[in-house]
Amino acid sequence: MEVIIQSTPEAAAELLARLVAHDLRVQPHLVLGLATGRTMESVYDRLARMHREQRLDFSLARTFNLDEYVGLPATDPHSYRHYMNEHLFEHVNVDLRNTHLPDGMAQDLDAECQAYEALMVKCGGIDLQLLGIGQTGHIGFNEPLSALRSRTRVKALSPITIAQNSPLFAEPAQMPRRAITMGVGTILEARRVILLATGASKADIVAKAVEGPITSMISATALQMHPRCTVIVDEAAAAKLQGVDYYRWIFTNEPEWEPYR
Ligand code: GLP
């Protein structure tokens, strides 16, 4: 794992957008794993702008989202399909047939989860997976006690996650209590993963995820086992990390990061 500290949330989002754009230019058929949440909105804004202003091309890319609420149709403004259309897909030239989210309305949810896994395999697996982090330390909707080898499945949402996300619903009580989510094991199979966390409210959980012991109670700690994981944080989200001097040295001195400094 490597930790990259940027001065502001904007700078952190900009760095992630530039990394995605770079991979997309090098590999136009990129299979991109996408995340939702407030943190990602400014990354998608930037990717949309790069498409408009620099002709960043999404026409051959395929995307898989981490999760979707159970019981919300794609037309529901609170569904993650709606979020993705609104924040990214409508603003770039991705072929909507190549954008995938689990179907939270499927009659047979277990079959839907298996089909989602099979489709990822058919597309050759995820090249680059973007991640946010919830207050419980979840990645996707892998709530506490998610097995470190879990696959795409239905997961009950924890009270902390319901408190975090229900204000986004017009009627907070109508937030679904379950979601389909890629498993921790599914996420660990992506060739590269990048987690973005910004703001003081994420400082505690970022420190636990990065420097704490690996535990199924905090699914983001499993990323410590990933061979190519980058965590991008702003100063506020980095505030509780112990090793900041070392992390800063890496970003300032490692040749790999030179184009992004
Ligand atoms: C939801 C998503 C997560 C995301 C989290 C972060 O819970 N299922 O994948 O990481 O939101 O949300 P925010 O960026 O709004 O803090």
Side-chain angles (χ1 to χ4, degrees):
M1 190 182 264
E2 58 190 350
V3 178
I4 305 297
I5 303 170
Q6 299 288 279
S7 52
T8 62
E10 292 76 23
E14 179 71 21
L15 176 60
L16 178 50
R18 287 174 64 197
L19 287 166
V20 174
H22 170 271
D23 282 12
L24 203 49
R25 288 189 181 110
V26 170
Q27 197 181 339
H29 286 93
L30 194 72
V31 181
L32 191 54
L34 297 172
T36 52
R38 284 157 282 207
T39 314
M40 285 297 155
E41 290 177 17
S42 52
V43 177
Y44 298 145
D45 283 350
R46 283 169 168 78
L47 289 172
R49 188 174 343 123
M50 287 174 181
H51 169 68
R52 275 196 314 274
E53 295 174 2
Q54 304 165 21
R55 297 197 193 150
L56 183 63
D57 183 15
F58 289 80
S59 63
L60 300 174
R62 287 153 298 167
T63 70
F64 285 89
N65 265 77
L66 286 165
D67 44 18
E68 178 61 282
Y69 289 112
V70 168
L72 295 190
T75 49
D76 188 297
H78 305 105
S79 71
Y80 283 164
R81 163 55 79 178
H82 190 275
Y83 171 106
M84 288 311 306
N85 288 346
E86 186 183 11
H87 290 289
L88 184 64
F89 299 155
E90 285 169 6
H91 308 287
V92 297
N93 63 336
V94 72
D95 183 339
L96 279 181
R97 290 169 301 183
N98 291 334
T99 66
H100 306 286
L101 286 92
D103 178 4
M105 295 295 285
Q107 288 288 327
D108 183 338
L109 292 170
D110 290 342
E112 170 64 15
C113 294
Q114 282 176 28
Y116 200 62
E117 289 270 343
L119 193 57
M120 281 184 257
V121 171
K122 196 174 159 213
C123 287
I126 290 176
D127 294 308
L128 174 61
Q129 176 68 57
L130 311 189
L131 297 172
I133 186 168
Q135 292 298 347
T136 59
H138 69 210
I139 46 177
F141 270 132
N142 288 288
E143 297 287 46
L145 294 183
S146 288
L148 300 180
R149 298 179 68 182
S150 51
R151 311 302 307 188
T152 302
R153 70 214 183 288
V154 175
K155 193 74 190 166
L157 302 176
S158 73
I160 294 174
T161 295
I162 292 168
Q164 186 190 337
N165 287 4
S166 60
L168 301 173
F169 283 73
E171 278 295 327
Q174 279 170 9
M175 178 179 159
R177 272 19 188 188
R178 298 188 304 155
I180 295 180
T181 180
M182 282 187 204
V184 180
T186 318
I187 293 167
L188 290 179
E189 278 174 15
R191 292 179 188 90
R192 183 177 191 186
V193 300
I194 307 183
L195 185 147
L196 175 66
T198 57
S201 67
K202 298 284 171 76
D204 280 317
I205 199 65
V206 163
K208 286 181 184 152
V210 172
E211 296 175 338
I214 295 175
T215 167
S216 63
M217 286 300 288
I218 301 174
S219 65
T221 62
L223 298 173
Q224 295 172 25
M225 296 190 292
H226 194 283
R228 200 156 177 239
C229 172
T230 304
V231 174
I232 302 175
V233 284
D234 68 346
E235 289 288 352
K240 302 272 172 77
L241 289 167
Q242 302 289 314
V244 285
D245 293 342
Y246 176 52
Y247 311 147
R248 286 189 215 283
W249 190 92
I250 289 172
F251 185 64
T252 320
N253 293 283
E254 288 292 350
E256 178 204 342
W257 289 104
E258 200 180 316
Y260 300 100
R261 290 199 281 268

